[in-house]
Amino acid sequence: MAFSPGPQPNMEELPLGPHTRQQFKEDVTLDPDTAGPELILSEDLRGARWGKPSQTMPDGPARFDTDPCVMGCGGFTSGRHYWEVAVEGMFWTVGVARESVRRKGHILFRPNTGILGLQKYHHLCVALTSPSNTFVPLQNGHNEIGVYLDYERGQVSFYDLSSEDQLVAFPPVSFHGERVFPYFCLLLSNIKLSPRG
């Protein structure tokens, strides 16, 4: 199910400062029951890398069966939430996804597919905005990104932790009461959650 435009806020959306974001910081861990193939999770479930796991995980309705994607545990149906992730590699997506996001077959990384995120491939980084993707000036190599979600306002925004600048803020959407999860997809890449503790 795609995201749909939500009510327009009465005030201009402004970037949140680092101290304000820290008020809503979450201790996000990865859900092994959702982890797709060619994805190796760390023992503490705060990291993941692309590669061949030592054992095949049993299939289930929550698991991505084709692409190396994984969701965070728990998810959110209200409130404001913020988490940080260090990402490095060639192909990755970091963001949020509806609980109903497609998990069987190849994931379509296009706007309005249930994912609001940043996607990097080679040297290009884009936000999965509608009706077309938006270029995001993210430096190559090792990157530390903050993700902010305000469920009621339908606000999702991303921050460059090295400069504390806002990278992009998505137009407000409505989640229609559906649970929303931290979302990651990795190919020739790896992540570490809460890289600054």
Side-chain angles (χ1 to χ4, degrees):
M1 182 177 184
F3 292 107
S4 61
Q8 295 300 311
N10 294 326
M11 64 185 79
E12 181 182 356
E13 299 288 359
L14 297 174
L16 298 179
H19 297 297
T20 304
R21 296 196 308 267
Q22 291 299 320
Q23 295 176 13
F24 308 111
K25 191 168 183 183
E26 299 285 348
D27 184 19
V28 172
T29 56
L30 302 173
D31 183 354
D33 290 337
T34 66
E38 298 185 319
L39 201 59
I40 302 169
L41 305 186
S42 64
E43 287 189 18
D44 65 2
L45 300 178
R46 288 180 171 83
R49 63 185 172 88
W50 184 77
K52 185 149 182 72
S54 58
Q55 60 183 12
T56 302
M57 301 300 289
D59 193 18
R63 188 174 307 284
F64 294 93
D65 70 346
T66 304
D67 293 326
C69 304
V70 64
M71 306 270 257
C73 289
F76 311 109
T77 56
S78 64
R80 292 183 279 181
H81 310 276
Y82 172 76
W83 58 95
E84 297 176 345
V85 57
V87 191
E88 57 181 358
M90 295 293 291
F91 306 93
W92 51 258
T93 304
V94 170
V96 303
R98 287 180 176 276
E99 187 168 23
S100 61
V101 70
R102 178 179 176 172
R103 304 181 194 216
K104 306 304 178 184
H106 288 292
I107 307 302
L108 301 174
F109 291 109
R110 301 194 300 246
N112 294 325
T113 57
I115 300 167
L116 295 174
L118 292 182
Q119 183 177 67
K120 182 183 177 194
Y121 44 97
H122 291 293
H123 303 294
L124 181 65
C125 185
V126 297
L128 300 175
T129 51
S130 181
S132 60
N133 293 334
T134 302
F135 173 74
V136 177
L138 194 64
Q139 297 299 315
N140 294 325
H142 187 271
N143 304 292
E144 293 185 344
I145 297 169
V147 184
Y148 173 75
L149 165 69
D150 183 332
Y151 190 96
E152 279 76 17
R153 295 184 74 178
Q155 180 184 359
V156 178
S157 51
F158 296 84
Y159 294 82
D160 180 343
L161 299 187
S162 62
S163 65
E164 296 297 347
D165 291 334
Q166 186 181 71
L167 292 166
V168 66
F170 280 77
V173 298
S174 175
F175 299 117
H176 301 294
E178 186 174 353
R179 191 171 296 273
V180 174
F181 292 82
Y183 174 85
F184 312 91
C185 194
L186 307 170
L187 180 63
L188 300 172
S189 301
N190 61 76
I191 61 168
K192 180 175 176 54
L193 289 161
S194 300
R196 302 186 176 192

